[in-house]
Amino acid sequence: MTTTSRLRRLTVGAALGAVAALALTACAFAGESAPAASEDGSLPTLTAGKLTIATGEPAYDPWIVDNDPSNQKGFESAVSYALAEKLGFSADDVVWVRSTFDSAIAPGPKDWDLNIQQFSVTDERKQAVDFSSPYYTTSQAVVTSDSSAAANATTIDELKGYTVGVMSGTTSYTVAAEELGTDKLSVFNNNDDVVLAFQSGQIDAFVIDLPTAFYLANAELDGGKILGQFADTTGGDQLAYVLPKGSELTDPVSKALDELRADGTLDELQKTWLSEAVDVPVLG
């Protein structure tokens, strides 16, 4: 997956028109697996007594560790097992399958009960699929590299001394302007230009949503690193499970996530896998 496609996926959203054709592929298995009652008859999952969850291929840290969703390591794996337990499924009853991002949000039947791979909730996507309650609201992060002058900055005050890039008209810009001021803020029309400016040395670091920051730092940038994340998540994208349109599981899944949020489980898993495990501190 190129940087351009990844950024488009995470910050602009897939165009439903472009992916509608993929629905034809999804329809290939329509009718092969009719929904069946779960073992105790309470939930109409695809396979009785099992909860089939899809994710991407490959899946990246820290969402899925070692590209193995069944190891319960990584934020989205851990959330999924907590959700399964809340719904009455044991860990052995969780079945993982893979899907592409675009086919997941295309109209049509699916060969999974729910899908998790950092899907942002948008009105456009809601026309084709269901979304659960959100399990995470994105924060904004500062990305640089080992060779940048800003590589050792650890506080917001220190970052104010460097040229920081950001895309105009975004939540990233709002947060960066509030936290860092605008004197040394370089504004670009899109995130591809931000990354190119960083790679060419025009800027020392840049601000972008945390899911994209993980991808860029780990997969795209030479020596990439995330200096930290801002505490404020106001205006951040909400990430949620995708379910087939009209799924009978949408309400039970949302209710279970609401309970996991209310009892602090989601906050604890977020702290474990998106802060401590990957050393992305909240900037002060």
Side-chain angles (χ1 to χ4, degrees), residues 36-45 87-89 248-249 252:
S38 59
E39 191 170 19
D40 64 2
S42 62
L43 290 175
T45 54
L87 291 172
F89 295 91
E248 295 180 61
L249 293 178

Side-chain angles (χ1 to χ4, degrees), residues 92-270:
D92 290 339
D93 291 331
V94 175
V95 177
W96 287 96
V97 297
R98 304 287 184 152
S99 86
T100 66
F101 187 92
D102 287 346
S103 68
I105 56 174
K110 315 295 183 184
D111 62 349
W112 35 262
D113 294 309
L114 54 160
N115 198 315
I116 184 170
Q117 43 183 311
Q118 303 113 66
F119 294 107
S120 297
V121 179
T122 70
D123 289 339
E124 183 180 29
R125 292 172 180 172
K126 284 181 179 178
Q127 297 177 33
V129 295
D130 284 356
F131 284 99
S132 69
S133 290
Y135 58 85
Y136 175 68
T137 300
T138 60
S139 61
Q140 301 299 316
V142 183
V143 179
T144 188
S145 68
D146 292 335
S147 59
S148 168
N152 296 318
T154 58
T155 67
I156 290 175
D157 282 344
E158 289 176 357
L159 282 168
K160 290 178 179 177
Y162 298 100
T163 302
V164 177
V166 70
M167 178 179 167
S168 64
T170 61
T171 303
S172 301
Y173 174 81
T174 300
V175 172
E178 290 178 351
E179 299 285 356
L180 302 176
T182 58
D183 289 349
K184 301 198 71 172
L185 206 59
S186 291
V187 182
F188 299 86
N189 290 329
N190 56 65
N191 279 325
D192 286 333
D193 289 344
V194 174
V195 174
L196 288 173
F198 176 74
Q199 292 174 320
S200 65
Q202 297 179 51
I203 56 178
D204 301 309
F206 59 90
V207 176
I208 204 163
D209 64 87
L210 187 60
T212 307
F214 279 126
Y215 174 74
L216 291 171
N218 293 325
E220 291 291 332
L221 298 179
D222 186 17
K225 62 185 295 186
I226 303 174
L227 290 178
Q229 57 186 310
F230 296 107
D232 185 10
T233 59
T234 304
D237 288 342
Q238 293 187 320
L239 306 187
Y241 286 92
V242 162
L243 298 94
K245 189 69 175 176
S247 171
E248 295 180 61
L249 293 178
T250 302
D251 287 343
V253 168
S254 292
K255 180 176 183 293
L257 287 170
D258 291 344
E259 292 175 359
L260 292 172
R261 185 181 308 102
D263 68 16
T265 299
L266 293 181
D267 283 345
E268 187 61 32
L269 294 177
Q270 179 180 327

